[in-house]
Amino acid sequence: MNRRTFLGFGLGAAGTGLLAACAGGAPVRAPASLSTAKAWDAAGFHAARRYLPSAFGEIAVVERGRGPAALFLHGFPLNSFQWRGVMAALEGERRCIAADFLGLGYTRVADGQSVAPAAQVEMLAFVLDTLGVDSVDLVANDSGGAVAQLFLLKYPQRVRSLLLTNCDVEPDSPPPALMPVIEAARRGRFAEDTFPPQLADKNFARSAQGIGGQCYTYRHQPSDDAIDAYFTPLVESARRKRLTDAYALALDPNPLAGIEAGLRRSRVPVRVVWGTGDDIFSPASPDYLDRVFPNSRGVRRVEGAKLFYPEEFPQLVAEEALRLWESV
């Protein structure tokens, strides 16, 4: 079953050798300043989570490390567990913060609260205010990249730098491959049809028909613990299923429509790190971002890497983030 057929009913710590294969060259050697601390396992991640009460609901947040703050924005339908390896690698350089988006992960959404990208921006601003953070380095993936661009335009003074991995851009949002997901959400069937089968059969989740085959570079990903961490909260109640569908519905019409002019005025340093194996987002998008941002620090292509590669290759992302931050 190919991606589009699969999406028609729903979106259904690599070693040196794997990292070299993904990078398409010699093994990546992490800078000495990158931490060798162990990434959270599922138990550690759940233990580290805390909740910030707000008008948006109770926002699930994890933190790790010290120093200037870096804010990590996860993909859809993932949550902050996606960044566990990157946060561990950078804990000696940054106060790493990751919040679960409204409608995804472990955030408990208030009744009547929008889960649209614009609302995510305001939620993140609240999180930073509550944590006493004035400015951040943003690192984002997938729909988190759309939110990052909107956050940059709304709060330009709060962004020191921006590292974008495969994500939405104005000419490709939502990407055509996502439209079957959105149509399933309109019928109220996306969450219900997509996640319970993959929770029940982790090998199916890692097959060509599941999230592993569709969005991960290597078929042994994601782990059983990751599948549980990502999908369990999305279907724990009828209300959560509706919120998951609402998140998908909020991606259409294009939430990035009209932002290019504002991005062209931004002076924030931007680095793009793009997996070439991704067939959800357009391969033209990284070059588009490189042209649009006046202070672009260029594009790195990660040969063969699929959409959620930051989870598989955290040292690579951490290396790129550190180099960007050292250049600012």
Side-chain angles (χ1 to χ4, degrees):
M1 184 182 296
N2 62 32
R3 176 184 301 275
R4 290 180 181 274
T5 303
F6 170 70
L7 290 176
F9 66 87
L11 183 62
T16 300
L18 292 181
L19 188 57
C22 183
V28 175
R29 300 189 184 278
S33 54
L34 288 182
S35 171
T36 58
K38 185 178 179 181
W40 281 311
D41 59 13
F45 171 76
H46 294 311
R49 185 189 311 114
R50 62 173 168 145
Y51 292 91
L52 304 182
S54 74
F56 302 97
E58 297 178 50
I59 310 304
V61 176
V62 292
E63 291 190 64
R64 185 162 182 163
R66 63 185 63 187
L71 182 62
F72 296 83
L73 308 185
H74 63 80
F76 171 53
L78 310 186
N79 57 54
S80 299
F81 194 60
Q82 179 184 23
W83 296 111
R84 62 196 181 279
V86 180
M87 294 172 77
L90 292 170
E91 67 172 9
E93 297 292 330
R94 288 295 187 273
R95 178 186 179 186
C96 298
I97 303 166
D100 288 355
F101 283 136
L102 300 162
L104 300 180
Y106 296 86
T107 287
R108 301 162 181 163
V109 181
D111 290 341
Q113 170 62 50
S114 169
V115 298
Q120 310 288 355
V121 169
E122 298 309 318
M123 178 272 288
L124 292 171
F126 163 81
V127 168
L128 296 182
D129 290 342
T130 302
L131 297 179
V133 175
D134 293 327
S135 61
V136 294
D137 298 292
L138 283 178
V139 181
N141 177 242
D142 189 49
S143 62
V147 175
Q149 293 169 67
L150 293 171
F151 188 94
L152 172 63
L153 292 185
K154 183 69 181 289
Y155 298 104
Q157 75 282 2
R158 304 194 77 160
V159 181
R160 287 189 301 265
S161 70
L162 174 60
L163 191 153
L164 291 173
T165 64
N166 299 52
C167 66
D168 297 76
V169 301
E170 183 180 347
D172 189 35
S173 181
L178 197 64
M179 294 311 298
V181 167
I182 294 170
E183 290 304 318
R186 287 197 178 103
R187 299 192 304 273
R189 299 302 307 178
F190 168 59
E192 180 66 43
D193 291 346
T194 301
F195 303 118
Q198 298 186 67
L199 282 166
D201 183 350
K202 304 301 197 301
N203 288 329
F204 170 69
R206 286 185 286 268
S207 73
Q209 291 78 33
I211 192 172
Q214 299 299 324
C215 298
Y216 286 79
T217 312
Y218 292 106
R219 193 60 58 80
H220 67 276
Q221 300 285 1
S223 68
D224 287 3
D225 284 346
I227 293 166
D228 285 334
Y230 294 142
F231 294 168
T232 298
L234 302 182
V235 294
E236 67 181 4
S237 68
R239 182 175 185 270
R240 282 308 313 269
K241 292 173 186 176
R242 291 193 296 271
L243 283 168
T244 304
D245 285 351
Y247 187 99
L249 289 172
L251 302 178
D252 184 40
N254 184 358
L256 301 183
I259 71 165
E260 181 176 317
L263 297 183
R264 288 187 178 277
R265 292 191 294 269
S266 173
R267 301 306 306 174
V268 168
V270 177
R271 176 69 163 164
V272 180
V273 187
W274 203 271
T276 66
D278 176 17
D279 55 1
I280 291 178
F281 291 110
S282 168
S285 292
D287 294 320
Y288 168 83
L289 292 167
D290 191 39
R291 292 193 305 270
V292 165
F293 282 106
N295 201 7
S296 173
R297 302 301 172 85
V299 176
R300 176 177 179 177
R301 287 178 169 82
V302 185
E303 187 65 30
K306 290 194 173 183
L307 176 60
F308 294 146
Y309 81 84
E311 182 174 357
E312 299 177 277
F313 310 113
Q315 289 291 108
L316 187 154
V317 177
E319 173 199 356
E320 287 291 339
L322 189 59
R323 287 177 176 169
L324 173 62
W325 300 340
E326 289 175 344
S327 74
V328 175

